[in-house]
Amino acid sequence: RSTLFPYTTLFRSPRTVRALRCGPHAENPSLCRHQCHSRILPHRLLDGDQIIAMCALEMLSTGQLANNSVVVTVMSNKGLDTALANAGIQVFRTPVGDRHVVEEMRKRNIVLGGEQSGHLLFLDSSTTGDGIIAALKVLEMMCRRNRPLSVLAEVMQKLPQITRNVKVQRKVPVERLPEFSARLAEIERSLGNAGRILFRYSGTESLARITIEGPDQVQIRGYAQELEQVLLQEIAHSDT
């Protein structure tokens, strides 16, 4: 009750309540990007990276961002790093999973973190991820700034990102896939600082996940398709 009480007045404004749509599990809010006029324009959903960028900059301006840092996972878009680095905010990355994010936040005394999926953590308000708290934080920011979500979201420009979930027969360690590793390194050199590649096996499914970010959507899509083909061919011919 004490946590939610300061936010209750936010729901009196029709233009703010329209911005919130909670999913079936409530912990991940969907925030709609729109103009907040009398009619609702076609919306775009903001992901966790964009919400973290907005909240981090807002908390920095109000002196609430502990250690001027946030914690995200390896899946977060490189555009988040760029947006926050320009403001002097440090970004720490962890393996996928909110458990890893929370551990890193507590270790470094950081209050803001989360995942691209929208699972957000505000440890100054709650000990775990809470979609209602996250949504209220954003609504509070909209009211304080008197700006629609569409304008606030402009603080971050997402880098084009492609993820391919590849069904594999076996999860062969990447060090035992020399052709795939070599091509992976070549593409990383080609992208340079303008992009990045993340390769990992799913912990629960027979999948390999290939994620590539870069300035050219067509180019990174081609890279992802090529890596998928090389991976499958080499796994098929590898020793068990």
Side-chain angles (χ1 to χ4, degrees), residues 42-77:
H43 67 260
R44 294 174 59 188
L45 296 181
L46 304 182
D47 63 22
D49 291 341
Q50 293 166 293
I51 300 170
I52 289 173
M54 291 186 296
C55 290
L57 293 170
E58 179 70 9
M59 293 170 71
L60 180 68
S61 70
T62 58
Q64 297 175 299
L65 190 65
N67 290 326
N68 289 353
S69 303
V70 301
V71 178
V72 297
T73 74
V74 292
M75 294 302 298
S76 281
N77 192 278

Side-chain angles (χ1 to χ4, degrees), residues 5 48 57 62 89 97-98 101 104 126 148 166 175 181 183 220 222 224 227 237 239:
F5 179 75
L57 293 170
T62 58
I89 298 173
D98 63 292
V101 175
E104 190 73 11
S126 177
V166 185
E175 57 269 19
S181 297
R183 186 59 186 133
I220 63 173
L227 286 174
H237 294 90
D239 297 330

Side-chain angles (χ1 to χ4, degrees), residues 11 17-32 45 130-136 139:
F11 290 104
V17 74
R18 286 171 178 168
L20 169 63
R21 188 183 74 187
C22 279
H25 302 294
E27 71 274 17
N28 298 347
S30 295
L31 296 170
C32 304
L45 296 181
D130 189 316
I132 294 177
I133 293 293
L136 291 174
L139 296 177

Side-chain angles (χ1 to χ4, degrees), residues 80-183:
L80 175 63
D81 299 73
T82 301
L84 298 188
N86 291 337
I89 298 173
Q90 189 169 5
V91 177
F92 293 97
R93 289 179 180 264
T94 74
V96 173
D98 63 292
R99 175 175 62 87
H100 299 293
V101 175
V102 171
E103 288 176 356
E104 190 73 11
M105 291 173 70
R106 288 176 175 162
K107 182 177 74 173
R108 297 183 180 276
N109 191 29
I110 293 172
V111 297
L112 175 60
E115 299 184 89
Q116 188 182 64
S117 63
H119 196 158
L120 307 177
L121 299 113
F122 295 84
L123 295 190
D124 57 342
S125 300
S126 177
T127 57
T128 59
D130 189 316
I132 294 177
I133 293 293
L136 291 174
K137 291 278 189 180
V138 175
L139 296 177
E140 179 185 41
M141 176 170 48
M142 292 172 65
C143 290
R144 181 185 296 116
R145 296 289 182 180
N146 194 28
R147 293 288 186 273
L149 200 53
S150 56
V151 172
L152 295 175
E154 292 175 355
V155 299
M156 173 185 163
Q157 301 300 317
K158 293 179 65 176
L159 203 63
Q161 183 184 80
I162 292 289
T163 296
R164 295 187 72 87
N165 295 314
V166 185
K167 290 185 178 181
V168 293
Q169 299 173 347
R170 300 184 304 279
K171 297 177 181 179
V172 181
V174 69
E175 57 269 19
R176 289 173 49 194
L177 301 171
E179 292 183 22
F180 178 76
S181 297
R183 186 59 186 133

